[in-house]
Short mmCIF file of all heavy atoms in Angstrom, two decimals:
data_model
loop_
_atom_site.label_atom_id
_atom_site.label_comp_id
_atom_site.label_asym_id
_atom_site.label_seq_id
_atom_site.Cartn_x
_atom_site.Cartn_y
_atom_site.Cartn_z
N TYR A 96 -17.97 -0.19 -5.96
CA TYR A 96 -18.15 0.98 -6.84
C TYR A 96 -16.88 1.31 -7.63
O TYR A 96 -16.84 2.27 -8.36
CB TYR A 96 -18.56 2.21 -6.01
CG TYR A 96 -19.99 2.18 -5.50
CD1 TYR A 96 -20.48 3.23 -4.71
CD2 TYR A 96 -20.86 1.13 -5.80
CE1 TYR A 96 -21.78 3.22 -4.24
CE2 TYR A 96 -22.15 1.11 -5.32
CZ TYR A 96 -22.62 2.16 -4.54
OH TYR A 96 -23.91 2.16 -4.07
N TYR A 97 -15.82 0.51 -7.47
CA TYR A 97 -14.63 0.71 -8.29
C TYR A 97 -14.94 0.33 -9.73
O TYR A 97 -14.61 1.03 -10.67
CB TYR A 97 -13.45 -0.14 -7.80
CG TYR A 97 -12.64 0.51 -6.72
CD1 TYR A 97 -11.91 -0.26 -5.83
CD2 TYR A 97 -12.56 1.90 -6.59
CE1 TYR A 97 -11.15 0.31 -4.83
CE2 TYR A 97 -11.80 2.49 -5.60
CZ TYR A 97 -11.10 1.68 -4.71
OH TYR A 97 -10.35 2.25 -3.73
N ARG A 98 -15.57 -0.81 -9.87
CA ARG A 98 -15.90 -1.27 -11.22
C ARG A 98 -17.21 -0.64 -11.63
O ARG A 98 -18.18 -0.67 -10.88
CB ARG A 98 -16.00 -2.80 -11.22
CG ARG A 98 -14.63 -3.46 -11.31
CD ARG A 98 -14.72 -4.95 -11.23
NE ARG A 98 -15.70 -5.51 -12.17
CZ ARG A 98 -15.92 -6.81 -12.28
NH1 ARG A 98 -15.27 -7.66 -11.54
NH2 ARG A 98 -16.83 -7.24 -13.14
N ASP A 99 -17.25 -0.08 -12.85
CA ASP A 99 -18.50 0.59 -13.24
C ASP A 99 -19.37 -0.28 -14.14
O ASP A 99 -20.40 0.15 -14.62
CB ASP A 99 -18.23 1.97 -13.86
CG ASP A 99 -17.20 1.90 -14.97
OD1 ASP A 99 -16.95 0.77 -15.46
OD2 ASP A 99 -16.66 2.95 -15.35
N ASP A 100 -18.96 -1.55 -14.34
CA ASP A 100 -19.76 -2.45 -15.16
C ASP A 100 -20.72 -3.29 -14.30
O ASP A 100 -21.41 -4.16 -14.81
CB ASP A 100 -18.85 -3.39 -15.96
CG ASP A 100 -17.93 -4.21 -15.06
OD1 ASP A 100 -17.52 -3.69 -13.99
OD2 ASP A 100 -17.63 -5.35 -15.42
N LEU A 101 -20.76 -3.00 -13.01
CA LEU A 101 -21.63 -3.79 -12.13
C LEU A 101 -22.86 -2.95 -11.78
O LEU A 101 -22.73 -1.86 -11.23
CB LEU A 101 -20.87 -4.15 -10.84
CG LEU A 101 -19.55 -4.90 -11.00
CD1 LEU A 101 -18.77 -4.93 -9.69
CD2 LEU A 101 -19.80 -6.33 -11.51
N ASP A 102 -24.03 -3.47 -12.10
CA ASP A 102 -25.27 -2.73 -11.88
C ASP A 102 -25.46 -2.39 -10.39
O ASP A 102 -25.52 -3.28 -9.55
CB ASP A 102 -26.46 -3.56 -12.38
CG ASP A 102 -27.75 -2.75 -12.35
OD1 ASP A 102 -28.30 -2.54 -11.24
OD2 ASP A 102 -28.19 -2.32 -13.42
N ARG A 103 -25.54 -1.10 -10.12
CA ARG A 103 -25.59 -0.68 -8.71
C ARG A 103 -26.93 -0.96 -8.04
O ARG A 103 -26.97 -1.24 -6.84
CB ARG A 103 -25.21 0.80 -8.59
CG ARG A 103 -23.76 1.01 -8.92
CD ARG A 103 -23.24 2.36 -8.49
NE ARG A 103 -21.83 2.45 -8.85
CZ ARG A 103 -21.08 3.51 -8.64
NH1 ARG A 103 -21.58 4.58 -8.07
NH2 ARG A 103 -19.81 3.52 -9.00
N ASP A 104 -28.00 -0.89 -8.80
CA ASP A 104 -29.31 -1.21 -8.20
C ASP A 104 -29.37 -2.69 -7.82
O ASP A 104 -29.87 -3.04 -6.76
CB ASP A 104 -30.45 -0.88 -9.18
CG ASP A 104 -30.61 0.62 -9.35
OD1 ASP A 104 -30.17 1.38 -8.46
OD2 ASP A 104 -31.17 1.04 -10.39
N ASP A 105 -28.88 -3.53 -8.73
CA ASP A 105 -28.86 -4.97 -8.43
C ASP A 105 -27.96 -5.26 -7.22
O ASP A 105 -28.32 -6.06 -6.36
CB ASP A 105 -28.34 -5.78 -9.62
CG ASP A 105 -29.37 -5.81 -10.75
OD1 ASP A 105 -30.52 -5.40 -10.52
OD2 ASP A 105 -29.00 -6.25 -11.86
N GLN A 106 -26.80 -4.61 -7.19
CA GLN A 106 -25.90 -4.79 -6.03
C GLN A 106 -26.61 -4.42 -4.74
O GLN A 106 -26.53 -5.12 -3.74
CB GLN A 106 -24.66 -3.89 -6.16
CG GLN A 106 -23.67 -4.28 -7.21
CD GLN A 106 -22.38 -3.47 -7.03
OE1 GLN A 106 -21.75 -3.49 -5.98
NE2 GLN A 106 -21.98 -2.75 -8.06
N GLN A 107 -27.29 -3.28 -4.78
CA GLN A 107 -27.97 -2.78 -3.58
C GLN A 107 -29.05 -3.76 -3.13
O GLN A 107 -29.21 -4.03 -1.94
CB GLN A 107 -28.60 -1.40 -3.89
CG GLN A 107 -29.13 -0.67 -2.67
CD GLN A 107 -28.02 -0.18 -1.72
OE1 GLN A 107 -26.92 0.14 -2.16
NE2 GLN A 107 -28.31 -0.16 -0.44
N TYR A 108 -29.77 -4.30 -4.12
CA TYR A 108 -30.84 -5.25 -3.80
C TYR A 108 -30.29 -6.47 -3.05
O TYR A 108 -30.75 -6.81 -1.96
CB TYR A 108 -31.56 -5.70 -5.08
CG TYR A 108 -32.55 -6.81 -4.81
CD1 TYR A 108 -33.77 -6.54 -4.18
CD2 TYR A 108 -32.25 -8.13 -5.13
CE1 TYR A 108 -34.66 -7.57 -3.89
CE2 TYR A 108 -33.14 -9.16 -4.86
CZ TYR A 108 -34.34 -8.88 -4.23
OH TYR A 108 -35.21 -9.89 -3.94
N TYR A 109 -29.26 -7.11 -3.65
CA TYR A 109 -28.72 -8.32 -3.01
C TYR A 109 -28.05 -7.99 -1.67
O TYR A 109 -28.13 -8.77 -0.72
CB TYR A 109 -27.76 -9.05 -3.95
CG TYR A 109 -28.50 -9.81 -5.02
CD1 TYR A 109 -28.59 -9.33 -6.32
CD2 TYR A 109 -29.15 -11.00 -4.69
CE1 TYR A 109 -29.31 -10.02 -7.29
CE2 TYR A 109 -29.87 -11.70 -5.65
CZ TYR A 109 -29.94 -11.20 -6.95
OH TYR A 109 -30.66 -11.88 -7.89
N PHE A 110 -27.42 -6.83 -1.61
CA PHE A 110 -26.78 -6.44 -0.35
C PHE A 110 -27.82 -6.31 0.77
O PHE A 110 -27.68 -6.89 1.84
CB PHE A 110 -26.02 -5.12 -0.55
CG PHE A 110 -25.40 -4.55 0.69
CD1 PHE A 110 -24.78 -5.38 1.63
CD2 PHE A 110 -25.41 -3.18 0.93
CE1 PHE A 110 -24.19 -4.85 2.78
CE2 PHE A 110 -24.83 -2.65 2.08
CZ PHE A 110 -24.23 -3.48 3.01
N GLU A 111 -28.87 -5.58 0.49
CA GLU A 111 -29.86 -5.34 1.55
C GLU A 111 -30.61 -6.63 1.93
O GLU A 111 -30.92 -6.84 3.10
CB GLU A 111 -30.84 -4.24 1.14
CG GLU A 111 -30.16 -2.88 1.12
CD GLU A 111 -31.14 -1.71 1.20
OE1 GLU A 111 -32.16 -1.85 1.90
OE2 GLU A 111 -30.88 -0.69 0.55
N GLN A 112 -30.89 -7.48 0.96
CA GLN A 112 -31.52 -8.76 1.28
C GLN A 112 -30.62 -9.56 2.23
O GLN A 112 -31.10 -10.24 3.13
CB GLN A 112 -31.77 -9.58 0.00
CG GLN A 112 -32.82 -8.99 -0.94
CD GLN A 112 -34.18 -8.84 -0.28
OE1 GLN A 112 -34.68 -9.74 0.37
NE2 GLN A 112 -34.77 -7.65 -0.41
N GLN A 113 -29.31 -9.46 2.00
CA GLN A 113 -28.39 -10.23 2.83
C GLN A 113 -28.22 -9.60 4.22
O GLN A 113 -28.05 -10.32 5.20
CB GLN A 113 -27.05 -10.41 2.10
CG GLN A 113 -27.22 -11.33 0.88
CD GLN A 113 -25.92 -11.55 0.12
OE1 GLN A 113 -25.18 -12.48 0.39
NE2 GLN A 113 -25.64 -10.68 -0.85
N ILE A 114 -28.28 -8.29 4.32
CA ILE A 114 -28.24 -7.68 5.66
C ILE A 114 -29.44 -8.18 6.47
O ILE A 114 -29.32 -8.60 7.61
CB ILE A 114 -28.30 -6.13 5.62
CG1 ILE A 114 -27.17 -5.53 4.80
CG2 ILE A 114 -28.25 -5.56 7.05
CD1 ILE A 114 -27.28 -4.01 4.61
N LYS A 115 -30.61 -8.16 5.83
CA LYS A 115 -31.83 -8.60 6.53
C LYS A 115 -31.71 -10.06 6.96
O LYS A 115 -32.11 -10.44 8.06
CB LYS A 115 -33.06 -8.43 5.62
CG LYS A 115 -33.49 -6.97 5.44
CD LYS A 115 -34.85 -6.89 4.78
CE LYS A 115 -34.74 -6.19 3.46
NZ LYS A 115 -36.00 -6.16 2.69
N MET A 116 -31.16 -10.87 6.06
CA MET A 116 -31.02 -12.30 6.36
C MET A 116 -30.07 -12.53 7.53
O MET A 116 -30.35 -13.32 8.43
CB MET A 116 -30.51 -13.02 5.10
CG MET A 116 -30.64 -14.53 5.15
SD MET A 116 -29.96 -15.32 3.67
CE MET A 116 -31.10 -14.82 2.39
N ALA A 117 -28.94 -11.82 7.52
CA ALA A 117 -27.96 -11.97 8.61
C ALA A 117 -28.58 -11.56 9.94
O ALA A 117 -28.40 -12.24 10.96
CB ALA A 117 -26.73 -11.11 8.32
N LYS A 118 -29.32 -10.47 9.90
CA LYS A 118 -29.96 -9.98 11.12
C LYS A 118 -30.96 -11.01 11.64
O LYS A 118 -31.00 -11.32 12.83
CB LYS A 118 -30.65 -8.64 10.79
CG LYS A 118 -31.08 -7.87 12.00
CD LYS A 118 -31.61 -6.48 11.63
CE LYS A 118 -32.13 -5.79 12.88
NZ LYS A 118 -32.63 -4.43 12.62
N ASN A 119 -31.72 -11.53 10.73
CA ASN A 119 -32.71 -12.56 11.02
C ASN A 119 -32.09 -13.80 11.66
O ASN A 119 -32.64 -14.39 12.59
CB ASN A 119 -33.34 -12.95 9.69
CG ASN A 119 -34.81 -13.12 9.81
OD1 ASN A 119 -35.36 -13.08 10.91
ND2 ASN A 119 -35.47 -13.31 8.67
N LEU A 120 -30.96 -14.23 11.10
CA LEU A 120 -30.31 -15.46 11.55
C LEU A 120 -29.28 -15.19 12.65
O LEU A 120 -28.61 -16.11 13.12
CB LEU A 120 -29.62 -16.16 10.37
CG LEU A 120 -30.54 -16.62 9.24
CD1 LEU A 120 -29.72 -17.12 8.05
CD2 LEU A 120 -31.48 -17.72 9.72
#
Side-chain angles (χ1 to χ4, degrees):
Y96 287 179
Y97 273 155
R98 279 177 51 179
D99 51 17
D100 58 327
L101 303 168
D102 188 286
R103 292 194 180 179
D104 290 338
D105 288 349
Q106 289 191 57
Q107 190 69 32
Y108 173 75
Y109 284 103
F110 175 40
E111 290 200 36
Q112 292 301 312
Q113 291 180 91
I114 303 174
K115 287 191 242 175
M116 194 182 291
K118 193 173 176 178
N119 222 352
L120 297 173

